[in-house]
């Protein structure tokens, strides 16, 4: 029997309160069921009839993709919804006011001090990004405190505060189960599915400001900031990898726009495509958002396990609401990321927050970002006041304040700054993609070898655009038989191309050498380009500074091409040198860095032609494929 709103606010019965539209709150009641895998989420009842389910998907589910994590056993918890209703926000606030009691959080502090977190940031930038392990990584820390007055009352108070004060959230929610309470205001939809249309919404870049919004000076500096811009482009690339995997139409990018919250402003893009997959398969293929993990995704999970001291629980997972489609064709999906969320259990509240670390990151700035991201929830808990100060008098001064009386940026100027970013991006991903009947390689096959960077899904999509029938094969499964295609594309991946103690690197050497020896067409990208260059006698060197998410215009065999680079190592010839014999080389005349090679039956490129940063990517890919097949 469904409980009334007043009964729900006084009993820890399994239910969820979700605000997705201004002025209203959805009340979802039901029964709990914990399952082991995404595929087991019970979208259908025992009699086969569809049912609505809200699932709390913990971070540990990345193990379903074979990725590493510190496993805390957090359950994949499903609320099978048996009653759905809606109340007004004001009705909830009125009911809550009748039973409100003070929340007191004692002993609250981050589990890593600012100094400790800054040192972690330095290590990740120097040891991981600096050694080619990836382009960006999200490392989190937790604010932890002791709750006086009961977890349930504190959670209810926090939800009421967020509903009343926080603006711009995608979902504001309270999810109640017997042993876990989650209350949050997530700004970011990870993935939605409606009538077969899949949408992802990468949000990155953070500007802290006063309650009335950012000043013209602050917003202009934010939108012009190299670190913030490249951070967003990198996460768009990472989510395009996911879109290319789950959507036959790839992913069309629209934006950018601003995501405004009470005291934070973010930048965002929207990615959209079509898919016939079961929404559970889409959830599994997109675990989890690069905005809260990093890229490439598989290696990001390993770096997180290496540098975070405790398991993540539900932080960076999703709340996935599966709703039967109106036409009976399956289920729609709405899945926000579990960030800006407080978790209550056994008299303890925990608020995890993270910062995206890139090559330009400043440790002090990343410390400030974690404070800014925690601030909205900490205000809701009564730890901070509206001005961002600790209510116990301890200062909270991390650069968030701007003079609320300073001028604001006009809408026209704001839009001009935002859309200037798209001038750097490729039209390929900004427009719908389809395979033309006249595509040059219709009827031909290609195998793409995945070396643990899912840029291969975007490469595969572009090759299909050129007409190929494409299969993506993990490096560990790339047998001689699986490589019997018209074209093999040896893909990118993290790590040192000369580290033969790494089985993945050693196998990529074998695949590339074997294909060349057999005289069969090969295209090598990034890591594989470096390996191919080494096999052809070129020296390899580590760059003085990683090129992760860097856009360069380079000469590709007599034609300038603007493409995106994600590399820490480079093949190199003597600056200004012209090799005698061997493959044809496209290189930087000043540094000798080798941008591309081509020879009988093969071609290679250091940059990522599939990246959203590669304005000339699809044209350059066509030229290099032609060179490889011509041999």
């Amino acid at each position: 029997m469904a409980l009334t709103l007043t009964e729900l606010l006084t009993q820890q019965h399994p239910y969820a309160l979700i605000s997705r539209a201004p002025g209203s709150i959805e009340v979802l009641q039901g029964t709990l069921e914990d399952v082991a895998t995404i595929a087991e989420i019970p979208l259908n009842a025992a009699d086969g009839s569809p049912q609505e389910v809200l699932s709390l998907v913990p971070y540990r589910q990345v193990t379903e993709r074979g990725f590493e994590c510190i496993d805390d056993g957090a359950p994949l918890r499903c609320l099978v919804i048996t009653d759905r209703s809606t109340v007004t926000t004001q009705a909830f606030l009125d009911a809550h006011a009748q039973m409100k009691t003070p929340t007191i959080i004692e002993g609250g502090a981050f589990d890593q001090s600012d100094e400790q977190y800054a040192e972690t940031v330095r290590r990740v930038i120097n040891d991981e990004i600096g050694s080619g392990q990836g382009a960006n990584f999200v490392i989190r820390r937790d604010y932890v405190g002791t709750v006086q007055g009961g977890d349930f009352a504190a959670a209810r108070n926090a939800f009421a505060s967020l509903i009343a004060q926080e603006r711009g959230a995608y979902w504001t929610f309270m999810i109640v189960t017997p042993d876990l309470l989650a209350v949050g205001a997530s700004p970011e939809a990870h993935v939605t599915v409606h009538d077969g249309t899949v949408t992802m919404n990468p949000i990155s870049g953070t500007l802290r400001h006063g309650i009335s919004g950012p000043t013209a000076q602050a917003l202009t500096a934010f939108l012009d900031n190299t670190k913030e811009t490249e951070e967003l482009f990198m996460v768009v690339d990472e989510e395009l990898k996911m879109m290319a995997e789950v959507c036959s139409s790839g992913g069309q990018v629209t934006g950018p726009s601003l995501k405004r919250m009470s005291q934070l402003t973010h930048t965002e893009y929207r990615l959209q495509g079509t898919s016939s997959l079961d929404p559970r398969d889409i959830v599994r293929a997109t675990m989890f958002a690069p905005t809260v993990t990093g890229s490439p995704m598989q290696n990001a999970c390993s770096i997180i396990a290496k540098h975070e001291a405790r398991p993540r629980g539900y932080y960076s997972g999703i709340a996935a609401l599966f709703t039967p489609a109106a036409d009976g064709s399956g289920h729609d999906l709405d899945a926000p990321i579990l960030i800006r969320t407080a978790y209550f259990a056994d008299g303890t509240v925990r608020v995890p927050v993270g910062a995206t670390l890139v090559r330009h990151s400043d440790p002090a700035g990343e410390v400030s970002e974690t404070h800014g991201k925690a601030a909205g929830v900490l205000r809701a808990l009564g730890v901070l006041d509206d001005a961002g100060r600790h209510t116990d008098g301890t200062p909270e001064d991390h650069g968030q304040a701007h003079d609320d009386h300073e001028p604001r940026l006009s809408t026209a100027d704001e839009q001009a700054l935002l859309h200037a970013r798209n001038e750097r991006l490729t039209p390929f991903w900004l427009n719908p993609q389809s395979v033309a009947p006249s595509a040059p390689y219709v009827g031909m096959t290609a195998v793409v070898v995945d070396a643990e960077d899912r840029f291969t899904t975007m490469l595969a999509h572009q090759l299909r655009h050129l007409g190929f029938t494409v299969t993506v094969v993990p490096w560990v499964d790339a047998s001689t038989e699986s490589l019997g295609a018209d074209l093999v594309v040896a893909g990118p991946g993290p790590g040192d191309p000369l580290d033969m103690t790494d089985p993945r690197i050693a196998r990529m050497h074998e695949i590339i050498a074997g294909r060349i020896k057999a005289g069969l067409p090969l295209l090598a990208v990034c890591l594989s380009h470096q390996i191919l260059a080494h096999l052809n006698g070129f020296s390899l060197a580590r760059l003085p500074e990683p090129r992760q998410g860097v856009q360069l215009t380079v000469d590709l065999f007599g034609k300038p091409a603007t493409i995106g680079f994600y590399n820490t190592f480079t093949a190199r010839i003597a600056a200004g040198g012209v090799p005698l014999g061997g493959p044809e080389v496209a290189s930087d005349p000043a540094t000798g860095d080798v941008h591309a090679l081509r020879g009988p039956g093969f071609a290679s490129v250091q940059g990522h032609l599939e990246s959203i940063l590669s304005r000339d990517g699809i044209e350059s890919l066509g030229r290099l494929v032609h060179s490889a097949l011509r041999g």
Side-chain angles (χ1 to χ4, degrees):
M1 178 178 177
L3 301 181
T4 66
L5 178 60
T6 300
E7 289 171 331
L8 287 174
L9 295 183
T10 56
Q11 301 180 32
Q12 201 162 329
H13 180 81
Y15 68 89
L17 304 178
I18 302 172
S19 176
R20 296 189 285 177
S24 68
I25 298 173
E26 298 165 70
V27 183
L28 310 179
Q29 301 182 59
T31 59
L32 293 180
E33 181 178 345
D34 291 349
V35 297
T37 66
I38 300 296
E40 296 173 75
I41 293 173
L43 298 191
N44 296 291
D47 64 1
S49 60
Q51 54 191 10
E52 189 172 23
V53 180
L54 173 64
S55 296
L56 279 174
V57 183
Y59 175 73
R60 66 181 294 268
Q61 296 304 132
V62 295
T63 58
E64 288 195 51
R65 297 185 65 187
F67 298 171
E68 185 179 354
C69 78
I70 305 172
D71 193 342
D72 56 357
L76 201 175
R77 179 149 294 175
C78 300
L79 177 68
V80 180
I81 298 164
T82 56
D83 185 84
R84 160 186 276 281
S85 60
T86 302
V87 299
T88 66
T89 301
Q90 192 58 53
F92 166 81
L93 292 174
D94 290 344
H96 172 259
Q98 299 301 313
M99 58 194 72
K100 182 178 180 180
T101 58
T103 296
I104 299 175
I105 307 298
E106 293 185 342
F110 281 102
D111 57 358
Q112 288 187 73
S113 69
D114 288 355
E115 294 75 18
Q116 290 170 327
Y117 186 73
E119 182 55 35
T120 299
V121 170
R122 291 186 190 93
R123 284 201 308 272
V124 172
I125 295 169
N126 295 334
D127 299 347
E128 312 299 353
I129 297 175
S131 66
Q133 296 304 314
N136 58 88
F137 301 112
V138 180
I139 303 298
R140 75 57 160 98
R141 60 176 180 158
D142 297 356
Y143 181 93
V144 184
T146 300
V147 181
Q148 300 298 319
D151 292 350
F152 185 55
R156 190 181 61 220
N157 288 347
F159 179 68
S161 178
L162 289 171
I163 285 290
Q165 298 179 24
E166 185 58 81
R167 69 172 185 265
Y170 180 68
W171 272 31
T172 304
F173 59 90
M174 180 168 76
I175 301 172
V176 180
T177 72
D179 57 347
L180 177 70
L181 294 160
V183 177
S186 175
E188 187 169 353
H190 175 47
V191 61
T192 66
V193 182
H194 182 69
D195 292 339
T197 297
V198 179
T199 303
M200 299 186 77
N201 179 211
I203 296 175
S204 196
T206 302
L207 171 65
R208 302 178 71 186
H209 50 73
I211 294 172
S212 64
T215 66
Q217 181 181 6
L219 187 56
T220 299
F222 171 64
L223 293 177
D224 281 341
N225 184 276
T226 299
K227 183 260 184 187
E228 303 288 0
T229 302
E230 292 184 355
E231 182 180 312
L232 182 60
F233 289 160
M234 284 189 275
V235 297
V236 170
D237 260 341
E238 193 69 20
E239 293 205 3
L240 277 173
K241 299 175 188 179
M242 298 175 178
M243 291 292 289
E245 184 169 355
V246 301
C247 296
S248 58
S249 58
Q252 183 180 352
V253 179
T254 58
S257 59
L258 293 180
K259 165 67 77 172
R260 289 184 169 89
M261 303 193 74
S262 293
Q263 296 195 36
L264 299 175
T265 294
H266 307 287
T267 46
E268 63 181 345
Y269 276 94
R270 191 169 298 275
L271 284 54
Q272 201 162 76
T274 57
S275 179
S276 59
L277 293 177
D278 184 307
R280 290 170 296 191
D281 293 333
I282 292 173
V283 166
R284 185 180 183 279
T286 61
M287 295 189 299
F288 284 110
T291 52
V292 284
T293 54
S295 63
M297 177 67 192
Q298 183 166 351
N299 223 39
C301 291
S302 298
I303 299 305
I304 288 167
K306 179 178 177 182
H307 290 277
E308 291 188 355
R310 64 173 69 243
R312 285 194 163 197
Y314 293 93
Y315 170 73
S316 72
I318 57 173
L321 181 61
F322 299 88
T323 303
D327 62 3
S329 61
H331 284 73
D332 290 336
L333 168 68
D334 189 6
I337 304 174
L338 289 170
I339 51 176
R340 318 292 166 83
T341 300
Y343 300 93
F344 299 84
D346 301 324
T348 298
V349 62
R350 185 176 296 275
V351 182
V353 288
T356 301
L357 313 184
V358 297
R359 61 193 177 91
H360 289 307
S361 286
D362 168 58
E366 304 302 351
V367 167
S368 176
E369 185 165 319
T370 61
H371 281 274
K373 289 177 176 177
V377 176
L378 296 185
R379 279 193 297 274
L381 292 170
V383 174
L384 301 180
D385 64 18
D386 288 341
R389 295 182 296 263
H390 283 278
T391 52
D392 64 3
T394 307
E396 171 80 3
D397 183 13
H398 292 277
Q400 77 272 30
H402 296 289
D403 185 348
D404 291 336
H405 300 292
E406 290 184 14
R408 308 293 167 204
L409 204 63
S410 71
T411 300
D413 288 342
E414 178 185 296
Q415 291 300 308
L417 284 169
L418 282 166
H419 289 286
R421 292 183 170 194
N422 287 356
E423 296 173 5
R424 297 178 57 189
L425 306 182
T426 173
F428 181 83
W429 295 109
L430 296 174
N431 295 317
Q433 304 112 43
S434 60
V435 179
S438 59
Y441 302 112
V442 171
M444 299 187 71
T445 60
V447 167
V448 181
V449 182
D450 186 343
E452 297 185 5
D453 187 337
R454 298 300 279 170
F455 262 129
T456 49
T457 62
M458 295 167 69
L459 270 169
H461 180 70
Q462 288 194 325
L463 289 166
R464 293 185 186 105
H465 185 82
L466 295 176
F468 286 98
T469 299
V470 185
T471 304
V472 178
V473 179
W475 66 269
V476 72
D477 298 327
S479 63
T480 303
E481 293 76 15
S482 71
L483 300 180
D486 294 313
L487 175 70
V488 165
V489 179
D496 183 340
L498 297 181
D499 182 9
M500 299 300 283
T501 64
D502 184 332
R504 175 177 54 88
I505 300 293
R507 180 61 181 141
M508 294 305 294
H509 276 258
E510 293 173 1
I511 290 167
I512 293 166
R515 191 77 179 177
I516 294 297
K517 183 177 180 180
L520 298 173
L522 170 76
L523 173 64
V525 179
C526 197
L527 172 73
S528 294
H529 157 82
Q530 296 161 13
I531 293 171
L532 176 66
H534 173 71
L535 293 173
N536 276 275
F538 291 84
S539 64
L540 300 184
R542 179 178 291 189
L543 293 165
E545 183 178 356
R547 292 179 184 143
Q548 298 291 350
V550 175
Q551 186 183 64
L552 299 175
T553 298
V554 300
D555 185 291
L556 286 188
F557 306 112
K559 187 167 186 178
T562 299
I563 55 181
F565 284 74
Y566 286 83
N567 64 302
T568 300
F569 296 87
T570 184
R572 190 166 283 165
I573 60 173
V578 178
L580 299 175
E584 187 179 358
V585 180
S587 64
D588 186 316
T591 65
D593 291 352
V594 176
H595 300 312
L597 299 171
R598 62 184 182 187
F602 68 85
S604 70
V605 63
Q606 177 62 74
H608 285 260
L609 305 180
E610 69 281 8
S611 167
I612 195 170
L613 291 167
S614 294
R615 286 191 55 82
D616 302 305
I618 190 69
E619 180 188 358
S620 300
L621 178 64
R623 292 172 58 212
L624 291 176
V625 166
H626 177 74
S627 293
L629 292 173
R630 185 178 57 190

